[in-house]
Amino acid sequence: MRKSLNILLATTIMASPAVAAAQDAAQFAIELTPAAVDNEGAVRNVHVALTIDAVEADAGDALLHLPVMASTVSTAADRLTGLSASDASGPIMLTAHDDIRDDANVERRWSTDRAVSGTVQVSYDVPIDPHRPLIARPAYELRTQDSTFSGAGNAFLLLPEDDRQRIVDVDWQLDAIGADARGASSFGVGDLTTQEPYATGDLHRAYFMGGKPGLHQSADGRFFSVWQGEFGFPAEELMNWTDRLQQYYGDFFGYKPPVFGVFGRTNTLNPGSGIGLTHSFAFTFSKDLSQQDLRGLLAHEMLHAWVNSLDGSMDQAGGLAKSWFGEGLAVHYQRLLPYHAGLISAEDFLDDLNSTAGRYYTNALIDTPNSEVPAGFWLDTRIRTLPYDRGSLYFAKLDAQIRAKTQGQYSLDYIVRNMLAARRDGEPMDMALWKAWLFEMLGQQELDDFDAMLNGAVQVPPSDAFGRCFTRVTKKLQRFDLGFEPALLASEDRVIEGLDPASNAAAAGLRNGDKVLNSFPTDSLQGDQEAMVTLKLRRGEKELDVTYLPRGEWVDAYQWEQVPYCNDTGARSVAPSQ
């Protein structure tokens, strides 16, 4: 099992995508032509022209597809105009039909009236409404502001039904916006042709931003960030920090993508959210968020370029059932690696760790089995945060156990690096591989402990799990308690019922029958012991606000403190070793 990581890396290089590119030169060309910026600073239309090589379909087959709804987010599928397609034989008649996968995902497919072979040309327009209401959901949808538009491929890009890998060509036609306009995609800044091929799924998970966004690029050109909107501090400070962290991640995990991008856009309704993408990620922000707030977010989302879910079924339920791995590891490393890189202080490290631990150990649903996470993920913040919190503390505990048993010779880092190298080598990084590593390192007892974790067992890392400069203590903290079931906020009518008469909400004046009108970030609210919540309500014919502290009973919770006069960071080696 302990195959040399250097051998794994060498094998990965030998089987690199560049070799596949030389063997398969089929292209997917994307030409984006945004309209001129109007007097509101909006780009109201983008013309899309696609040239797709090596397409094969029989009459009646699905030729192209685009989600109508992607992870609860409505796309541009219903707003496309002027759609046309053709190949060497002439125009292709397209017929649309929808495939409802689940409540959060609907796929639209366009079938062809005849056999199609070779290169297909596709053309259409995508209107963008600058006045669409903000949403507290993944930042996929096309939006426009500040003379810029942005969105993910799954929000507007028609793709072939096959999953053939193709070289990607991106061409920005920005003359209407002006000489100082620029465009960037997950594949890089400006017009470009990739050196390696990408599959259809990679294109759906790509991001595009064009117009007049802010721009930061690293000296070697491998890292860039673009953003639309204004931060409450100099943007370049945050982007320089992110640039340095990305370099450290690449060294630590033993692999650097050919290019890596960060896309930011404002969302006052849901600031501080993020989505992982192909060689990139996107995040939302507002002027109210500090650099420290955003550093934790960027550290987490950027980790998904290396650390993501186990292979296997990746429909919505399958992905959420495995989120303990990808999200748990990301939370574990989001504070550990910046700290060891010298990019955050010990105080910042503890703030992040104790926020996670406090949210976890005060969670009334702490023992919910992992099998129940998918069903409750979008309904209850206490379930939604479990894969993040429980997963991260499980990995901290596991890391400490491996270090203790091997006298510091091996660690969790060693397993993760080897698994990621195996994935790059084309091997499945799945549950079987994870369990094989657990058995190799710690034996059958660890497999039993792992199953217990999945079944809801409380995870308690040892006191020195984060290095000898931090020690575990017990403190009294309050449980998160809205005074009513959080699932009511996800219901269609959002009317309060079953209000706890002994809750802070009831004491502040909330009543059964009140209709909640506003949205607020419950996940972060749950992790802040002092944060107040304001509910905007309709009661009969009146509208009113009720503000209170969403906390209930006091419970014992684990926290960590810094050991006085200790300055050992316990730095992790960035070399691809044990």
Side-chain angles (χ1 to χ4, degrees):
M1 177 60 68
R2 293 175 186 164
K3 182 178 179 181
S4 167
L5 189 58
N6 290 330
I7 293 175
L8 281 169
L9 290 174
T11 304
T12 300
I13 293 170
M14 291 174 62
S16 69
V19 176
Q23 297 172 346
D24 184 354
Q27 282 200 337
F28 188 107
I30 305 167
E31 183 181 275
L32 300 176
T33 307
V37 178
D38 69 9
N39 57 11
E40 294 184 55
V43 177
R44 291 179 175 264
N45 188 82
V46 178
H47 179 72
V48 181
L50 308 175
T51 301
I52 313 171
D53 290 344
V55 177
E56 300 290 336
D58 293 329
D61 286 352
L63 185 68
L64 303 166
H65 68 277
L66 174 70
V68 177
M69 183 179 293
S71 298
T72 74
V73 177
S74 296
T75 74
D78 286 329
R79 304 194 305 275
L80 302 181
T81 62
L83 174 60
S84 65
S86 63
D87 63 3
S89 298
I92 302 169
M93 296 295 295
L94 299 173
T95 301
H97 57 281
D98 292 346
D99 176 16
I100 301 175
R101 295 169 55 193
D102 51 50
D103 291 340
N105 296 276
V106 178
E107 194 80 15
R108 178 161 297 167
R109 289 181 167 83
W110 284 265
S111 58
T112 173
D113 67 325
R114 60 174 175 80
V116 173
S117 181
T119 298
V120 172
Q121 307 280 346
V122 182
S123 176
Y124 55 95
D125 284 280
V126 186
I128 310 176
D129 180 2
H131 303 295
R132 285 175 64 85
L134 294 172
I135 58 173
R137 296 175 184 174
Y140 294 132
E141 65 173 347
L142 278 178
R143 284 204 169 272
T144 180
Q145 67 180 92
D146 299 306
S147 304
T148 304
F149 76 93
S150 64
N154 66 1
F156 75 100
L157 204 59
L158 270 66
L159 296 174
E161 188 65 18
D162 64 56
D163 202 32
R164 179 171 184 154
Q165 292 194 334
R166 294 175 173 87
I167 297 294
V168 178
D169 184 273
V170 181
D171 183 12
W172 294 92
Q173 297 292 325
L174 302 172
D175 290 348
I177 295 182
D180 56 346
R182 61 171 63 102
S185 66
S186 294
F187 310 104
V189 178
D191 298 342
L192 57 87
T193 300
T194 63
Q195 297 300 305
E196 59 185 67
Y198 291 87
T200 298
D202 298 321
L203 287 160
H204 260 179
R205 291 187 297 272
Y207 218 71
F208 299 83
M209 183 176 288
K212 298 185 178 181
L215 171 66
H216 167 92
Q217 284 183 283
S218 63
D220 62 6
R222 295 175 68 102
F223 174 85
F224 70 91
S225 55
V226 286
W227 60 93
Q228 57 186 108
E230 295 183 8
F231 296 93
F233 50 83
E236 194 65 17
E237 292 180 4
L238 178 64
M239 298 313 170
N240 276 323
W241 183 90
T242 310
D243 190 344
R244 292 166 59 196
L245 183 61
Q246 195 266 347
Q247 297 295 328
Y248 185 87
Y249 282 179
D251 291 337
F252 182 84
F253 290 112
Y255 167 74
K256 292 183 179 181
V259 66
F260 190 88
V262 175
F263 298 84
R265 66 186 192 187
T266 55
N267 186 337
T268 55
L269 179 63
N270 189 37
S273 65
I275 50 173
L277 302 159
T278 300
H279 292 335
S280 58
F281 69 89
F283 71 99
T284 61
F285 63 93
S286 72
K287 283 188 174 182
D288 295 332
L289 291 182
S290 68
Q291 278 203 63
Q292 183 174 343
D293 294 331
L294 287 171
R295 283 177 177 180
L297 170 68
L298 299 185
H300 178 95
E301 294 301 333
M302 191 159 58
L303 275 162
H304 287 308
W306 289 269
V307 176
N308 43 39
S309 189
L310 295 171
D311 296 335
S313 174
M314 288 307 297
D315 57 17
Q316 187 190 23
L320 294 177
K322 296 175 183 176
S323 56
W324 63 269
F325 184 88
E327 298 298 352
L329 268 182
V331 175
H332 173 71
Y333 281 128
Q334 76 183 36
R335 49 179 168 259
L336 202 62
L337 296 187
Y339 175 55
H340 294 319
L343 293 174
I344 64 172
S345 66
E347 291 76 15
D348 292 337
F349 173 85
L350 284 175
D351 284 346
D352 190 295
L353 170 59
N354 286 331
S355 176
T356 296
R359 190 169 66 176
Y360 177 63
Y361 293 118
T362 62
N363 193 331
L365 304 182
I366 191 172
D367 58 355
T368 301
N370 191 66
S371 60
E372 297 179 13
V373 166
F377 191 88
W378 296 111
L379 300 176
D380 194 325
T381 179
R382 297 168 299 178
I383 291 178
R384 184 164 54 250
T385 57
L386 275 177
Y388 298 77
D389 300 343
R390 182 163 63 200
S392 71
L393 293 168
Y394 162 71
F395 286 118
K397 175 183 172 184
L398 177 63
D399 180 60
Q401 290 174 324
I402 296 172
R403 289 174 182 272
K405 183 171 182 178
T406 64
Q407 290 78 51
Q409 185 179 5
Y410 293 97
S411 68
L412 172 68
D413 304 340
Y414 177 67
I415 297 178
V416 172
R417 286 164 170 163
N418 272 276
M419 290 184 67
L420 295 176
R423 170 179 274 168
R424 294 195 299 274
D425 197 31
E427 300 176 26
M429 195 182 93
D430 54 15
M431 184 71 82
L433 181 60
W434 173 249
K435 287 186 174 182
W437 273 109
L438 292 184
F439 185 80
E440 171 75 9
M441 286 293 183
L442 297 173
Q444 182 59 43
Q445 181 59 52
E446 179 51 38
L447 291 179
D448 296 340
D449 289 347
F450 171 65
D451 288 339
M453 182 275 290
L454 293 182
N455 286 325
V458 176
Q459 301 301 295
V460 183
S463 181
D464 62 351
F466 303 101
R468 67 181 185 86
C469 285
F470 302 107
T471 186
R472 194 184 69 212
V473 297
T474 301
K475 292 187 176 181
K476 288 287 187 181
L477 299 177
Q478 286 183 281
R479 290 198 191 280
F480 178 71
D481 185 3
L482 285 170
F484 55 88
E485 288 298 317
L488 288 175
L489 297 174
S491 66
E492 186 173 345
D493 55 14
R494 308 183 85 216
V495 172
I496 300 297
E497 58 183 35
L499 179 66
D500 180 358
S503 66
N504 289 347
L510 188 65
R511 299 179 186 174
N512 285 319
D514 288 345
K515 181 179 179 66
V516 180
L517 303 178
N518 63 318
S519 298
F520 47 91
T522 53
D523 293 358
S524 58
L525 184 68
Q526 187 189 171
D528 189 338
Q529 286 279 309
E530 300 177 354
M532 306 288 284
V533 63
T534 295
L535 300 183
K536 295 185 178 298
L537 306 170
R538 178 175 294 125
R539 182 178 296 164
E541 300 299 318
K542 297 191 304 181
E543 292 190 5
L544 67 155
D545 293 350
V546 170
T547 300
Y548 62 98
L549 181 69
R551 295 287 151 185
E553 66 174 319
W554 292 88
V555 296
D556 289 334
Y558 293 119
Q559 298 279 272
W560 273 261
E561 293 181 349
Q562 193 167 11
V563 176
Y565 310 111
C566 182
N567 59 8
D568 175 18
T569 65
R572 302 293 175 90
S573 168
V574 298
S577 61
Q578 299 168 182

